[in-house]
Amino acid sequence: MEPAQTVTGSGMATLGKPAALPPLAGAGRLVTSRRVRYRDWSGTAVTVVMPTYNEAGNLPGMVAALMALPLPRLRLLIVDDDSPDGTGPLADRLADRYATGTDSPRIEVLHRDGKEGLGRAYEAGMRHALAAGAPYVLQMDADGSHPATAVCSLLETAHRSGAGLVVGSRYVRGASLSGGWGVHRRLLSSWGNAYARSILRVPLRDLTGGFNLWRADVLRTVGLTAEGGRSLRSAGYAFQVELKYRAARKGFEAVEVPIRFGERLRGSSKMSLAVQWEAALLPWRLLLAGR
């Protein structure tokens, strides 16, 4: 059974062989097909979906950074899984602080009654954003590892390329990782990407990354309809792989843009052994299921 949830706020083609994505930025393709003026994309409506669990130390800074962007139609949906550290009530106060006094609040909070994993939180938030009519949905972590300053770059790339998915990538030319990442963590991350890519044959460099801008029609096509129930197999971090794989099989174009991936600012990682096992098994499950 899905946990109860409440919302608060102020104010690629065949089931046989997966279709290959077109060449990717950073892997031989530069997204320069046409020049896009700032005013052409700065007014884009986009909803940032940000799951939280014990992120009270990071959330205010992330919210402030997003609200400061020159994107007047950016909305933030915080999805909190009943964090013991008070992240949920803090999110409500932040929603009040940035209230616009209109029927379209800049920040909403989706309160869920229990923790089911990052993937389930993202799925609930993305469905909510689609139901509200968001034309673009951006996945973004609350721990500070995804740079808010890169949001404009992702939006510009979406308009310039026409791609249905733009990935803020850690593994294309020009990208970098935090100096706090040790050798073991770097090897584990790069191996995880190579492992999933080799099994699923999706030519994205950062298949496991979580900083992704989706066009709404892509999400609906891969099963995240606003009115639907759960349609994804994965509950944890493997959600990132599953969603991109589905988009690839449907033939949607994806591009990657380089980002600097930072270290978590405060708190501890939610990467458990169970989550790692799910990530290891999911590619085989998807392949055997023919999805």
Side-chain angles (χ1 to χ4, degrees), residues 1-25:
M1 179 182 296
E2 278 193 64
Q5 51 193 40
T6 58
V7 181
T8 62
S10 298
M12 276 169 179
T14 67
L15 293 181
K17 180 179 178 181
L21 287 167
L24 306 172

Side-chain angles (χ1 to χ4, degrees), residues 74-226:
L74 180 146
R75 300 293 181 262
L76 173 61
L77 175 62
I78 299 167
V79 185
D80 186 67
D81 280 1
D82 196 24
S83 299
D85 73 343
T87 301
L90 172 61
D92 289 332
R93 294 194 295 273
L94 290 169
D96 290 337
R97 180 183 303 175
Y98 291 97
T100 60
T102 69
D103 293 334
S104 180
R106 295 212 68 190
I107 301 175
E108 285 188 284
V109 186
L110 181 62
H111 293 277
R112 288 158 44 88
D113 284 345
K115 183 184 178 186
E116 288 189 303
L118 182 71
R120 297 296 183 218
Y122 263 128
E123 185 174 2
M126 294 166 88
R127 289 187 190 281
H128 184 86
L130 292 174
Y136 285 93
V137 178
L138 174 65
Q139 296 175 254
M140 190 171 186
D141 290 349
D143 61 7
S145 58
H146 297 154
T149 52
V151 173
C152 291
S153 177
L154 268 62
L155 273 175
E156 181 181 11
T157 300
H159 279 265
R160 181 177 294 182
S161 67
L165 165 62
V166 181
V167 177
S169 179
R170 300 166 291 179
Y171 297 115
V172 293
R173 185 172 62 248
S176 61
L177 296 173
S178 166
W181 276 42
V183 174
H184 174 76
R185 188 175 178 188
R186 289 171 184 264
L187 288 175
L188 182 63
S189 178
S190 60
W191 180 86
N193 265 291
Y195 171 80
R197 285 170 55 204
S198 65
I199 296 170
L200 299 175
R201 294 157 60 195
V202 177
L204 280 168
R205 298 282 185 86
D206 200 349
L207 190 56
T208 63
F211 194 26
N212 309 304
L213 177 66
W214 296 88
R215 208 171 58 222
D217 64 292
V218 178
L219 291 176
R220 293 190 182 98
T221 302
V222 300
L224 283 182
T225 55

Side-chain angles (χ1 to χ4, degrees), residues 196-274:
R197 285 170 55 204
S198 65
I199 296 170
L200 299 175
R201 294 157 60 195
V202 177
L204 280 168
R205 298 282 185 86
D206 200 349
L207 190 56
T208 63
F211 194 26
N212 309 304
L213 177 66
W214 296 88
R215 208 171 58 222
D217 64 292
V218 178
L219 291 176
R220 293 190 182 98
T221 302
V222 300
L224 283 182
T225 55
E227 66 280 356
R230 288 180 185 161
S231 61
L232 299 174
R233 297 172 177 273
S234 47
Y237 289 79
F239 171 86
Q240 315 292 3
V241 174
E242 182 174 2
L243 211 56
K244 294 188 185 83
Y245 177 64
R246 288 189 177 201
R249 293 204 36 108
K250 294 294 185 180
F252 287 108
E253 182 181 9
V255 296
E256 296 182 90
V257 296
I259 63 167
R260 173 168 177 75
F261 186 84
E263 186 66 41
R264 162 178 281 278
L265 297 177
R266 298 176 182 83
S268 58
S269 171
K270 315 302 188 300
M271 180 69 76
S272 66
L273 183 59

Side-chain angles (χ1 to χ4, degrees), residues 34-43 156 159-160:
R34 61 186 176 90
R35 180 123 181 123
V36 180
R37 293 170 297 180
Y38 172 73
R39 65 174 177 269
D40 291 335
W41 56 265
S42 63
E156 181 181 11
H159 279 265
R160 181 177 294 182

